[in-house]
């Protein structure tokens, strides 16, 4: 499994859910706290090449997956295969 990168804020429930999902599936992940790193949504948008309106924003390897709902669907697909 490629490294998962989660950009978000510690106060975000969906961000915490994404972290828990990685932990439950033993998926390697990096948590990037936007507040601690002094990052804005514009900074993340520059990294992923599209506008960012919500957090978390999640990548698997270099592939942009989306927010929590898209990531949960991605993990379900992995489980199904």
């Amino acid at each position: 499994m490629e490294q998962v990168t989660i950009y978000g804020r510690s106060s975000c429930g969906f961000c915490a859910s994404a972290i828990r999902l990685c932990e439950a599936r033993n998926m390697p992940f990096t948590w990037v706290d936007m507040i601690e790193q002094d990052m804005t949504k514009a900074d993340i948008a520059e990294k992923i090449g599209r506008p960012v309106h919500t957090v978390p924003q999640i990548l698997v390897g270099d592939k942009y997956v989306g927010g929590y709902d898209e990531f949960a669907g991605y993990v379900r697909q992995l489980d199904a295969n």
Side-chain angles (χ1 to χ4, degrees):
M1 178 70 194
E2 291 187 80
Q3 180 80 17
V4 176
T5 305
I6 304 168
Y7 293 94
R9 297 185 180 116
S10 58
S11 61
C12 167
F14 287 108
C15 299
S17 293
I19 291 169
R20 284 193 301 272
L21 184 56
C22 286
E23 291 172 340
R25 298 291 197 288
N26 292 317
M27 299 169 79
F29 73 94
T30 300
W31 163 246
V32 181
D33 187 311
M34 293 171 57
I35 303 300
E36 285 181 6
Q37 299 298 318
D38 197 29
M39 294 179 78
T40 66
K41 290 177 183 173
D43 295 327
I44 297 170
E46 193 173 301
K47 286 185 180 293
I48 64 173
R50 62 181 65 200
V52 171
H53 303 289
T54 61
V55 291
Q57 293 297 310
I58 303 170
L59 292 91
V60 176
D62 292 332
K63 178 185 174 203
Y64 174 70
V65 174
Y68 174 76
D69 290 338
E70 292 83 8
F71 181 59
Y74 176 88
V75 171
R76 279 193 299 276
Q77 286 289 85
L78 290 177
D79 290 346
N81 293 333

